[in-house]
Amino acid sequence: MKNDKVKNVFKEGAISSAFIGEAIAKHQSKTQIGAHNIFLGQVRQDKIDDKVVIAIDYTAYEEMANLKFHEIKEATFSKFNITCMHIYHSKGIVNVGEICLFVFVSAPHRQVVFDALNYVVEEIKAQVPVFGKEVFEDSSYQWKVNK
């Protein structure tokens, strides 16, 4: 990867299975790829203080977040022999059971995709300014704490 321009990785609402399928299908004809690995972050129905989570409302400092996603992507390409990588994150309301984070990594060999994907997800959690309000059944909410 050679300093691609910073791209907007945010998708309004949940990331659909159709979108994920289309992103994956585009790589089937690339004969230098031997392995793909995918991470799908899904909203859980947590129970917090006897309240049940029904959705997360994601917000971000988009310009800063897109820059961080870009930096993570650049660092991943420099650390690992990967062929391709896509990152998409939801903004707005994502209901329980829906996908809010989609990371897709391709490489010539399988071990590389496992190592690279783990690195990417950990870096996203540690560095990217994306925030979520957990919305409860009674319409109250609290800011999500990453663990």
Side-chain angles (χ1 to χ4, degrees), residues 46 48-57 93 132-144:
D46 285 340
I48 302 166
D49 298 330
D50 294 325
K51 292 182 175 184
V52 177
V53 173
I54 61 166
I56 296 179
D57 186 358
I93 298 283
K133 285 189 281 189
E134 294 171 306
V135 181
F136 300 107
E137 288 175 314
D138 65 0
S139 298
S140 65
Y141 66 86
Q142 74 176 20
W143 287 102
K144 182 171 177 37

Side-chain angles (χ1 to χ4, degrees), residues 5-13 57-72 87-93 127-131:
K5 69 177 187 161
V6 175
K7 296 177 183 166
N8 180 18
V9 303
F10 291 99
K11 306 292 281 174
E12 190 64 43
D57 186 358
Y58 288 100
T59 188
Y61 296 113
E62 286 192 47
E63 189 174 323
M64 185 187 301
N66 280 315
L67 183 59
K68 277 293 177 191
F69 279 119
H70 179 78
E71 289 171 0
I72 291 167
I87 302 171
Y88 296 97
H89 200 294
S90 294
K91 66 178 182 178
I93 298 283
Q127 293 189 45
V128 180
V130 173
F131 309 99

